[in-house]
Amino acid sequence: MSSDRRANDAEGYAAHQQAWESLPWYVNGTLQGDELERVERHVAGCVTCRSELKYLQRLGSELHATEELALSPERGLARALAEIEGRRRAVGRLTSWLGAAPAGLRLALAGQALAILLLAGALGWQLRPVPPPAFHTLAAEPAAAPPQARLRVVFDETLEEVGLRALLLEVEAGIVGGPSPTGVYTLGLPAAADGRPAAGALDRLRSHGGVRYVELVTR
Amino acid sequence: MASPERELALIRRIAQRDREAFAELYRLYHRRLVSFLLRFTRRMDLVEEIYNDVMLVVWQKAGGFRGQSRVSTWVLGIAYRKALKALKRQQSRPEELPIEDVVLVDGERPDQVAGRRQLRERLQAAMSHLSPEHRAVVELTYYHGYSYPEIARIVGCPPNTVKTRMFHARRRLRRILPRLESVAAVRRRNGEVRS
């Protein structure tokens, strides 16, 4: 093989690699200028890249078509606004109090705050989590809780209480937490030996029209 | 979806401590960002807290936003960092649902599974096998339609690192989902639809 041929092959391989890496952004239409032209030119003559392009287009359209979870923002917004108001009041109280204090006192307070910060840092280091001792005493009780799987679920707003109760009875689930501000419930239901809920229960919840989201809690 | 100019105007008003503008931006981003955070963290219990943390940072830092990027790029960058931090605080990776739990229904093999819902679930299950960093790049490319330089700004890494993460994510997805047939093709093969 001549050195010219080797150089051409190396150049061709580099062009292929560059185009191959850029394909996802060719698919989402954000490549521009020279890079776009280079990829288009290469893909036109490269079977491997054309096949990959088809796969990525399919992947992209399926991922893009996934439904977004529409939860109500209002309760979270109310909490955020309350937090903002709380911070504003706290800062207002502190600045007005400091403004009224004599200069010497302000200096002393600043020094004290610094000392507290240093002490808190040292205390935090000493209190850092350490792994528990790996031994059991004879008096230790064995864990006897029945195996229970946990799921996080968002119900559709149209699901009424009667329907909810019937569904929970059907899959032998109970509400153990929630609803959270955005309507997330935690359900407990009988678990198999591997700690997961029976497949039928999970499928039933996923396919039920009144359930919008199901997530398995694995710990 | 509001225009970039509209979003920038809201940020300017938030910098002036305008709560109505904050509420508008909060509502505007809620659906998009909650979905992003859920797909990224796979932790419904963390998502609502992270979203509020993100919006409170927006409230605090709006005055320092100089418009070097789109507002959405800036907000998603905050969300990405907050979500990563929350996952690390939990000292765990997101929950990974074994694929067979999601894909296999009544003993069917993957190549027999039909229907749009199953295909989507297979994809979601496959996505859950990516690391959060790799998944974020896929999410930002396909769900949000960002260019790789924009993704680099959001996740705070060089553009080539974005390409490398995508490279690994693609390889892993290919291993899990060697081919993606259209729903129509699967149904035809299963004899559900005559054509």
Side-chain angles (χ1 to χ4, degrees), chain A residues 3 10 14-15 21 31 35 47 49 68 73 76 114 130 136 149 168 171 177 181 191 198 204 212-213:
Chain A
S3 60
E21 285 183 358
L31 285 190
E35 192 174 13
V47 179
C49 281
E68 291 189 332
L114 183 66
V130 289
H136 298 281
L168 293 182
V171 297
R204 176 71 186 120
R212 295 175 58 193
Y213 180 82

Side-chain angles (χ1 to χ4, degrees), chain A residues 20 52, chain B residues 166-176:
Chain A
W20 201 88
E52 178 69 5
Chain B
M166 180 61 103
F167 174 87
H168 289 298
R170 281 162 69 187
R171 211 166 51 174
R172 193 143 169 72
L173 286 174
R174 266 282 196 187
R175 267 209 301 271
I176 299 169

Side-chain angles (χ1 to χ4, degrees), chain B:
Chain B
M1 187 64 57
S3 68
E5 295 75 26
R6 173 82 188 134
E7 292 186 5
L8 188 59
L10 286 175
I11 291 291
R12 299 274 179 263
R13 283 171 56 200
I14 291 170
Q16 303 300 314
R17 295 294 176 248
D18 182 334
R19 289 174 198 211
E20 277 180 25
F22 175 78
E24 192 176 334
L25 195 81
Y26 189 101
R27 293 189 184 104
L28 192 64
Y29 271 77
H30 189 266
R31 187 168 178 160
R32 188 171 18 152
L33 219 54
V34 161
S35 294
F36 168 73
L37 289 169
L38 180 60
R39 288 192 293 252
F40 178 39
T41 63
R42 328 296 280 190
R43 294 287 303 268
M44 193 58 176
D45 57 328
L46 298 180
V47 164
E48 42 195 276
E49 281 308 319
I50 299 173
Y51 183 69
N52 263 23
D53 284 352
V54 171
M55 296 315 284
L56 287 171
V57 171
V58 169
W59 172 261
Q60 283 170 339
K61 310 266 184 188
F65 181 71
R66 298 274 169 262
Q68 314 89 318
S69 64
R70 283 192 282 171
V71 171
S72 61
T73 308
W74 179 58
V75 175
L76 271 162
I78 298 169
Y80 177 80
R81 287 189 294 278
K82 284 278 178 197
L84 263 191
K85 209 179 274 185
L87 286 175
K88 280 181 185 149
R89 250 201 322 271
Q90 299 286 317
Q91 293 186 320
S92 67
R93 285 309 201 186
E95 292 165 6
E96 292 193 351
L97 298 181
I99 284 182
E100 55 275 19
D101 282 355
V102 181
V103 175
L104 301 183
V105 181
D106 299 332
E108 286 178 314
R109 294 200 312 275
D111 63 350
Q112 293 173 318
V113 174
R116 187 154 293 274
R117 187 172 149 260
Q118 281 86 353
L119 180 60
R120 298 266 156 77
E121 285 183 351
R122 281 175 67 193
L123 262 176
Q124 289 309 311
M127 290 287 285
S128 76
H129 282 250
L130 303 180
S131 72
E133 291 85 353
H134 290 177
R135 190 163 52 239
V137 171
V138 177
E139 301 274 346
L140 291 167
T141 301
Y142 287 117
Y143 287 108
H144 298 270
Y146 281 107
S147 68
Y148 67 86
E150 281 176 311
I151 296 173
R153 275 197 290 277
I154 290 169
V155 304
C157 71
N160 275 339
T161 306
V162 173
K163 285 187 170 177
T164 307
R165 287 180 186 174
M166 180 61 103
F167 174 87
H168 289 298
R170 281 162 69 187
R171 211 166 51 174
R172 193 143 169 72
L173 286 174
R174 266 282 196 187
R175 267 209 301 271
I176 299 169
L177 296 167
R179 58 167 190 246
L180 279 170
E181 292 176 277
S182 71
V183 172
V186 174
R187 283 186 171 159
R188 268 200 302 277
R189 195 156 44 72
N190 286 352
E192 290 177 30
V193 176
R194 306 278 171 230
S195 61

